[in-house]
Each structure stands twice: as structure tokens, then as C-alpha cells.
Amino acid sequence: MSALTAGTGIINWNIVPLENIEQVEVMKGASSVLYGSSALNGVINIRTKRPGLTPVSTLRTYLGIYGPAANEDYQWNDKSFWKDGKYGVEPFLRKNVFSGIRNPIYEGADFSHTRRIGDFDVSAGLNVFTDEGYKKGGYNKRFRAGGNLTYHQPTTNGTLVNYGFNTNFMSNKYADFFMWRSPKEVYESSPIANMAREANTFYIDPFFNFTNPNNNTSHKIKARFYYRGDDIPSDTEEGKSITDILGNMGTDVSVITGIVQNVQNGDYSMFYPIIQPALQGDVSGLVHGTVNLLNGIFPTATTADYNDLLSWVMKRGLPSDMSNLGPWLSNAINPKPDPTSIDKNYTYYLDYQFNKKWDNGTQITTGATYEHMRSTSLTTGTHDSDNAAMFFQYDQRFWDRLSVSAGMRAEYYRVDDYLREADTKMFGTKVPVKPIFRAGLNYQLADYSFIRASFGQGYRYPSLTEKYARRDVGGVGVFPNNDVKAEKGINTELGIKQGYKLGNLQGFFDVAGFYTQYTDMIEFRFGFFDNETFAYLNSTQDILGTIASGQIPGVGAQFYNVSKARIYGAEVSTNGFYEFNLDTKLSYNWGYVYIELEDADYKKKNEIEAQYDDPLRSKEKSNDSKYLRYRQKHTVKGVFDLQWKRLNLGMNMTWKSKILAVDYLMVDEREMDQPSIMEYIRQFLYGNIEGETLNSYWRKHNTDYCVVDLRAGVKITKDVSFQFMINNLFNKEYCTRPMLVSAPRTYVMQLNMSF
């Protein structure tokens, strides 16, 4: 069953029962024929444990301690931060057992139990986790419980029948941020970025399996009911009034009220020193006029103060009725908490699969799938979708060496009243169905040598969130785009896998080349948006027009389609072990990926953008390169474990090259004689502390980086083991995107028991 979150389409890793995993399988290549949307490049299949003859229980408890940041300027917590209530969640043992730890911590416990009771298989799991967070205001508190009940029906004719259900419930309270407060406060959130959530997720998956070994056939029926409710809680700064904010900036409410009243009456004279140079492209004049205007209104303001004010206005807006300012002023002085609402997502899923095998190596798999999703929200309204598909796959094995696979899938998809979301032109006629095909082969050259090749078509329909999401109203958030279309693509791969054995050394070596081409690839863009119409604001006229209408432009992301994209490269990996003696063994897993990620239309886009003369016109990305945003060209990963009797020592290593491009609104990497207007806007949004800006920070820190994790453990008894780990051993400061600085060195202790 899919682990993708209903409505959003993202992977919900937290719902995966890590405490009850038997095996993880990575199936590379186009897999949309059997698995549907989002499986263009492959599938990660997680198999949970099945009960054995003997009941088994496992318990894992762990504690993590975040160390100080490498840069002392980033340290936001003091020795009593947890005593003063400066955290969003409280770990269970924080005020007694762990009271002596002064740094932020996380703690958790997993429990699982499996057993057979007569003809029943029973498994259950429990997970609790609390994380104070290494970022100020970034926290996570989770409770998850679930299990499986399977009944094996006794039969007398040799057939195998089982049925039952899987179920899972998770309650999750968490917060993170998309924008930092400043380049000197990288672990603190900008006041305009509230990413707090409270979510409850529940699903139940009934199933029925019938297998007849007499004729090698099987029938499988899977179903699901899935619910997720998301609530955006009030943030911790709700009590700060406009008088507090303006007091820090050296002004008062009456000054702001007078300015607002003039704007409402159509008097923009005080803004002429800004509007005039903006329209003429005079950057220095615009900056000079803006600085003079702001200094006159806010004589003691800092960048953070401006963001506090912007956040307040974004959340509450400007007064709409200037003849009756009483209610607005009352809320300004004594702010009321924002009303909260729960966004609800429902999924109903049914899948039937038939499988038949023949003695000559032939196998067919066919079936049908139906899925209905419904999303309800006060901010985006009610939307629903239907997804129906039929699929067929043929597998054949020849001469015990060659395996061939081919298949097709036909899928119908609709959102709301638009019934032709999957339109395809066939024989000159448009039909509301998307057909896709795949083929692959695997040939065994020798006992430990395999060559494989695959070709497949794939697609991914935009989720309801990508089309309609409107989150974090009044701050940094996601804006709807009803016009986003499904992305389509093809995927090819050619690879060879070679086994090796040299004395006590044995393992596998794998090398593969791949090529993927997308049409209408779904990406997100970060920029300014109209909070009423959700239109992308991409000119001075657009932005000033929005402000003139009494609205503050929204800042955030919106999903849209990139016309064409090409992704190709190569992957090399090896895994195995070396046995020194019966008591000592070294195991390893190492891999390198080289990848090119190209926007096929980048030259055309660069030519168009070179003609821009509007200083507030946004370009698509931070440079003129051919690369897609937020990607890295080189990745190396290695896992090494040395085991000696009851002791083990291990290391994880990850090396990645620089990010090739990001959003233009975040960073502009182009060379210029003087800062552009957009650069001053960036400094306003992201901070300018003693000349350090996001741009200067990114130039210094967007480099290749290497992160090393170290672990050591001991098996105390047959059923009890202890591990100590240090993540980010060298306390490396690195970014996976602008304004997202990863965790500092972290110390982890873990105790495992089985009984």
C-alpha cells in the first residue's frame, strides 16, 4: 500500500513502522504500470515482519543531544531555556532524568510484538517521539500505534486463503520554518514564516488473498480508508501587539493610521520618492528614497523589527473601513488569536490483482484500481478527484537465464468538474485516458554476472495540494495554481551487476547509466503572490497595484509546470563484506552518482529574461545555467561496519557537490555593477547583519560538503545491545537549500532489547 500522503502526494516517512521492518527493497526503473502515478523512476518497497512460531517482542529506546553550533553567533538556547518554557514540546523525562542536560534533546521509544494465535497472525507496534529541535521554534512530538491481524483459513483442497487488515494511527505536532531570521540567526525563524502543524492520520487496510497452487493462480484484493486532519495552531508570538512592535521601531499607531488613511483616500504623495525611481529603473534613487521614508517613520528599526511589522500586517491586514477604525485599533492593541481550522483529506481505495503462472516460465499480472480523494478546507474549499486504472504485465523466463517483462496501464483521472485531466490524442481523437507502456530484461551472463535494460513511460498527476493548497494565510505559504498539469516522462536504464569473491572478500559491483525526459515537469517557484487571486506577481505594476488595493503581497511557493527537462547520468556502487576470522567481519556499502539535470528550454528562457527592463520582474532561477533548481551533480555515500565478537564500530559518510541553482527571489548569482532593487528586497526579507546577507552567505557556504557519522556498540547479552552514535562528527555547517542550515554535531544513545 502506498505511503504517499493523501491530498499532498508527498512521502510520509513518519507513518512507516520502522520498529517492525523485515526488509527494504529498491526497485529501479519505470514502475507506473503496476504502481500508478509517481512511480516513474522506481519504487521503495518496505516489507513488515510476519510472526513466527515463537512470540517476539522488541523494545528500542534512544536519546539524542544537540551539541553547540560551530559558529557561536547561531546559539539561540541558554542553559535554562527549557525551564523558562522556550520550547514547543516537552520530552517525557525532561524535568527529572534529563534535567541536567542544558542543550536541546530528543527522545523516543519503539515497541513491537508479533505472534501466532492458532490460525491468526498478530503484530502490533508503538512509537513515541519528542524532539525539542536544534532550531528555535522547531519541534516534533509524535505518537503512532498500529498493527496487523491476518486469519489463515484452513482448507482441505490445497488452496491458500487469508484475509485481515492493517491499521495505523499517528498524532503529530510539529513546527519548522522556511526562512531564517537573519544570516546571524540561522537557527531562528523569520516572524513571517509560521510552519507549525498539528496532524492526525488514520488508515485501515482490509485485504483478501486467495492462492491456488494447483493451477498457479492467485487473486488479491486490497482496500483502504485513509483520513488526515491538519490544523495550523496559533503561533507563540500571538500576544505581541502592534504597539509593542512600533515602539521598538520608534513610532506609534497614530502615525501608521494617518499613512493608511491617506492611501485609502488615494493620496500617494509620500511614496513619490519611491514610485518615480522604481518606474524609471533608478536603483540608487529608489534605495535612497526608501531609506529616507522608512527612517522618517521608523527611526530605530532593525531588519527583524521590519519583519515583525510585516508579519503582523500579513496576518491581520489593513483597515477596510476608515470611517470606523475602532474594531481595527482594538485588535491592534489587544490582538485576538487567529481562528483555527482543520484541513481534512479522505481517501477511499480499492485494488484487485490477478496473477497466473505457467510451467514454461510465463507469468501474467492484471487487475484494476480505483481511488477517490476528497479534500475540505476553509481556505481552499472542497475538492475531490477520481482515479481509475486497468493494468496488464507479462513476464517470461527463457533458458533459466533471460527474464523479459512488458506491460501497459490505462488510467483515467479527473479533478472536480474537469473530467478530461488525462486527455491523450489517439488516432486523431482525444480520449480521457492516459496509456503508458514499459519493457525490461535481465540476462544472466554467468553465475554472478547480470545485465539489465529497461524502458518505461511514466506520469505524475498533480496532487490536490499542488493545485489548490492555500496554507499559512498572511505569511510565507503555498499558493494554489489550478492550471498545473500532469507531468509525463520516459525512463531508460542500462546496467550490469557483477559478483566477486577474492579469498575472504565477497560482494557485488553494479554500474548503470540512466536517462529520463520529462514534459510539463512539476516544480515549485518561490516569489510574490496576490493573497486574494493567488496570481504570481512578476512586475512593478503588479506589486504596486496590489499594495494600492490595500493588500500586502504574499511571499511563498506555487507549483507550476516546467516545459521540458532532461535528467541523465550514471551510478556506481558496491557492497559486500570481508571476513577476517570467525569473530571479525567488515561489511561495506559504497556508491557514487553522477547526474545532469537540465532544463531543455533554458536558452530560450535566458533570451527572454535578458530583455527584462522592469527592476521587479523575477527571473526563474538564480543564474543563467542549464540546470534545474535545488539539485546537485555529484553524490558519494558510504556505510562501513566492523564487527568483532560482541563489539561493533561503524561509520556513515556522505559527500555532495554544490547546489547548481536556486530561486531568483532567494539569491541572484549573476555578476552586476551595483545591487539591484531585488537585492535590497532580499536583504529586507532575509536580513542584513553587519553586511552579511543571504547572498553573501550563500556564496561562501554553497560548496561541496562531507558529513561523517560515527557509531560504536556492544552486545551486552544475546537479547540486549547498546549503541552510541555521533552524527555530524566534525560539526560541519552546511546547507541543503538557502536558509536551511543542517543540525550541528549530535550525540545519540540507544538501547535495544528483544524478549
Side-chain angles (χ1 to χ4, degrees):
M1 300 297 288
S2 174
L4 300 180
T5 302
T8 66
I10 64 174
I11 299 175
N12 188 356
W13 293 110
N14 290 331
I15 204 72
V16 177
L18 297 179
E19 66 276 5
N20 197 33
I21 289 180
E22 177 73 27
Q23 183 171 310
V24 177
E25 303 167 346
V26 179
M27 295 178 284
K28 296 163 61 179
S31 301
S32 284
V33 165
L34 290 183
Y35 294 94
S37 178
S38 302
L40 173 60
N41 297 315
V43 171
I44 299 174
N45 186 37
I46 298 174
R47 298 176 58 185
T48 51
K49 297 176 183 176
R50 307 304 304 175
L53 296 176
T54 303
V56 176
S57 298
T58 62
L59 175 65
R60 179 176 69 120
T61 62
Y62 49 92
L63 169 70
I65 305 172
Y66 296 109
N71 189 329
E72 293 181 357
D73 292 339
Y74 303 161
Q75 202 66 32
W76 59 268
N77 59 291
D78 54 33
K79 292 185 177 181
S80 62
F81 84 99
W82 61 273
K83 289 184 178 180
D84 298 336
K86 300 176 183 178
Y87 49 85
V89 295
E90 181 182 319
F92 180 63
L93 301 175
R94 185 44 147 149
K95 290 185 176 179
N96 39 61
V97 178
F98 303 135
S99 61
I101 301 175
R102 303 306 184 186
N103 286 24
I105 68 171
Y106 66 84
E107 64 174 20
D110 301 327
F111 174 79
S112 69
H113 177 76
T114 61
R115 68 184 306 148
R116 285 184 178 174
I117 305 175
D119 296 323
F120 287 91
D121 284 353
V122 180
S123 63
L126 179 71
N127 167 257
V128 290
F129 175 76
T130 306
D131 184 2
E132 290 177 331
Y134 66 92
K135 293 183 286 188
K136 185 178 182 180
Y139 55 81
N140 195 336
K141 187 172 186 178
R142 180 175 69 243
F143 169 81
R144 186 184 67 240
N148 164 270
L149 179 66
T150 302
Y151 176 64
H152 298 273
Q153 181 174 305
T155 60
T156 58
N157 57 0
T159 59
L160 304 174
V161 179
N162 66 72
Y163 45 87
F165 64 89
N166 306 299
T167 188
N168 218 333
F169 169 79
M170 182 174 71
S171 177
N172 203 188
K173 178 182 178 182
Y174 60 99
D176 203 345
F177 61 79
F178 190 83
M179 292 167 52
W180 64 25
R181 189 172 182 87
S182 77
K184 295 291 187 180
E185 301 161 297
V186 303
Y187 288 145
E188 298 185 44
S189 171
S190 167
I192 64 174
N194 168 33
M195 301 292 283
R197 291 286 186 276
E198 291 182 7
N200 290 313
T201 303
F202 169 78
Y203 68 76
I204 184 169
D205 300 341
F207 60 88
F208 174 86
N209 298 317
F210 173 83
T211 303
N212 188 348
N214 301 318
N215 58 11
N216 292 323
T217 61
S218 67
H219 302 264
K220 297 181 179 180
I221 299 175
K222 298 183 293 184
R224 164 170 285 183
F225 169 75
Y226 182 106
Y227 166 82
R228 179 180 171 91
D230 270 309
D231 179 23
I232 305 175
S234 300
D235 63 42
T236 57
E237 298 296 327
E238 209 57 66
K240 184 178 289 188
S241 70
I242 191 66
T243 52
D244 295 331
I245 297 172
L246 295 179
N248 293 335
M249 303 176 79
T251 188
D252 57 45
V253 174
S254 62
V255 174
I256 303 300
T257 302
I259 295 172
V260 171
Q261 189 165 8
N262 289 339
V263 172
Q264 293 286 343
N265 293 332
D267 180 6
Y268 303 108
S269 57
M270 69 178 303
F271 296 105
Y272 288 164
I274 297 177
I275 297 175
Q276 203 75 16
L279 295 175
Q280 295 174 355
D282 180 4
V283 177
S284 60
L286 175 63
V287 173
H288 182 73
T290 302
V291 171
N292 287 339
L293 176 64
L294 294 177
N295 285 342
I297 303 172
F298 310 110
T300 62
T302 65
T303 303
D305 292 329
Y306 282 118
N307 274 317
D308 284 333
L309 177 61
L310 180 62
S311 172
W312 193 95
V313 174
M314 279 181 165
K315 292 176 182 178
R316 292 166 182 81
L318 300 173
S320 57
D321 184 2
M322 297 306 300
S323 63
N324 183 19
L325 290 176
W328 183 81
L329 286 173
S330 175
N331 187 44
I333 298 171
N334 299 299
K336 299 177 182 178
D338 292 335
T340 60
S341 63
I342 298 178
D343 292 351
K344 301 176 182 179
N345 288 283
Y346 303 88
T347 298
Y348 306 88
Y349 177 87
L350 183 64
D351 177 270
Y352 166 73
Q353 189 175 111
F354 170 77
N355 183 274
K356 167 69 175 176
K357 297 179 181 179
W358 284 269
D359 293 338
N360 63 358
T362 302
Q363 178 176 314
I364 62 168
T365 304
T366 187
T369 297
Y370 172 73
E371 183 177 50
H372 175 77
M373 289 189 183
R374 185 175 183 84
S375 175
T376 63
S377 169
L378 288 180
T379 55
T380 60
T382 299
H383 302 280
D384 58 7
S385 68
D386 285 308
N387 190 189
M390 300 180 66
F391 56 88
F392 175 85
Q393 182 164 298
Y394 163 80
D395 295 279
Q396 181 71 57
R397 187 162 178 82
F398 299 96
W399 316 298
D400 292 330
R401 286 186 176 272
L402 175 65
S403 297
V404 177
S405 178
M408 68 166 294
R409 185 183 185 95
E411 189 134 352
Y412 167 81
Y413 184 73
R414 69 100 189 164
V415 176
D416 291 345
D417 295 329
Y418 186 61
L419 305 180
R420 307 183 71 89
E421 191 85 31
D423 258 358
T424 304
K425 195 170 185 178
M426 299 179 63
F427 307 108
T429 304
K430 283 188 176 181
V431 295
V433 174
K434 175 65 180 175
I436 60 167
F437 303 88
R438 74 169 294 269
L441 62 86
N442 188 304
Y443 183 72
Q444 185 173 351
L445 297 170
D447 286 345
Y448 300 102
S449 300
F450 304 87
I451 187 171
R452 65 183 183 276
S454 67
F455 167 84
Q457 296 174 304
Y459 57 89
R460 186 174 78 82
Y461 292 117
S463 67
L464 293 178
T465 294
E466 289 169 332
K467 269 185 171 291
Y468 301 113
R470 178 63 183 105
R471 308 302 295 271
D472 293 337
V473 178
V476 173
V478 181
F479 294 84
N481 182 4
N482 297 0
D483 298 325
V484 66
K485 299 178 292 186
E487 65 182 21
K488 303 172 287 292
I490 59 171
N491 174 280
T492 60
E493 180 178 344
L494 178 64
I496 185 169
K497 190 171 187 177
Q498 176 64 57
Y500 55 84
K501 189 176 189 314
L502 301 170
N504 294 335
L505 175 68
Q506 56 181 304
F508 276 95
F509 177 81
D510 189 281
V511 59
F514 53 87
Y515 176 87
T516 303
Q517 179 174 297
Y518 289 95
T519 303
D520 293 326
M521 184 178 183
I522 299 174
E523 292 271 89
F524 77 88
R525 58 187 170 196
F526 188 65
F528 297 109
F529 298 89
D530 188 309
N531 278 311
E532 296 293 329
T533 65
F534 313 132
Y536 182 50
L537 304 179
N538 196 22
S539 69
T540 302
Q541 183 177 355
D542 290 345
I543 294 174
L544 292 180
T546 300
I547 296 173
S549 67
Q551 299 292 326
I552 299 297
V555 181
Q558 184 183 66
F559 292 93
Y560 77 112
N561 296 105
V562 177
S563 51
K564 291 182 181 178
R566 291 188 293 261
I567 299 176
Y568 58 91
E571 178 180 9
V572 180
S573 64
T574 182
N575 65 84
F577 64 89
Y578 182 83
E579 195 167 30
F580 295 92
N581 51 54
L582 293 177
D583 295 324
T584 311
K585 184 170 72 172
L586 173 68
S587 59
Y588 56 90
N589 191 329
W590 176 89
Y592 165 69
V593 177
Y594 167 78
I595 190 167
E596 289 282 343
L597 313 109
E598 300 180 358
D599 183 341
D601 296 324
Y602 82 98
K603 291 183 179 179
K604 180 180 178 181
K605 292 177 180 178
N606 286 344
E607 291 174 359
I608 295 173
E609 291 177 353
Q611 306 302 316
Y612 289 173
D613 55 7
D614 186 331
L616 295 184
R617 188 77 182 268
S618 288
K619 298 177 174 63
E620 186 169 277
K621 57 189 179 188
S622 59
N623 54 47
D624 297 326
S625 70
K626 64 182 179 179
Y627 297 110
L628 298 170
R629 290 163 297 170
Y630 305 104
R631 267 73 167 200
Q632 293 152 304
K633 186 179 290 189
H634 305 278
T635 300
V636 178
K637 291 187 177 183
V639 180
F640 306 91
D641 283 286
L642 176 65
Q643 183 173 344
W644 177 69
K645 295 184 177 180
R646 295 188 176 188
L647 303 178
N648 67 79
L649 182 67
M651 181 182 72
N652 293 358
M653 185 274 291
T654 300
W655 178 87
K656 289 194 174 187
S657 59
K658 64 180 290 186
I659 295 175
L660 302 170
V662 297
D663 275 291
Y664 173 78
L665 185 59
M666 291 185 176
V667 174
D668 187 0
E669 299 173 290
R670 299 168 179 84
E671 296 294 332
M672 58 188 71
D673 296 330
Q674 62 177 351
S676 65
I677 293 176
M678 288 299 298
E679 181 56 30
Y680 289 104
I681 292 175
R682 294 185 191 100
Q683 293 180 27
F684 174 80
L685 290 174
Y686 316 134
N688 183 340
I689 307 297
E690 300 174 355
E692 181 80 301
T693 66
L694 174 59
N695 203 328
S696 63
Y697 182 94
W698 190 245
R699 288 178 182 273
K700 288 187 293 185
H701 291 84
N702 182 29
T703 61
D704 59 280
Y705 63 85
C706 181
V707 180
V708 177
D709 303 332
L710 196 65
R711 60 186 174 276
V714 56
K715 198 160 188 176
I716 301 171
T717 69
K718 178 183 176 182
D719 299 319
V720 179
S721 62
F722 174 81
Q723 281 227 328
F724 176 73
M725 294 162 276
I726 304 177
N727 297 330
N728 193 0
L729 177 66
F730 300 109
N731 212 13
K732 175 70 176 177
E733 179 183 341
Y734 64 99
C735 296
T736 54
R737 66 157 175 80
M739 295 180 290
L740 181 61
V741 180
S742 295
R745 182 188 296 120
T746 306
Y747 307 91
V748 185
M749 292 167 283
Q750 179 176 296
L751 182 67
N752 301 284
M753 293 181 286
S754 60
F755 46 91

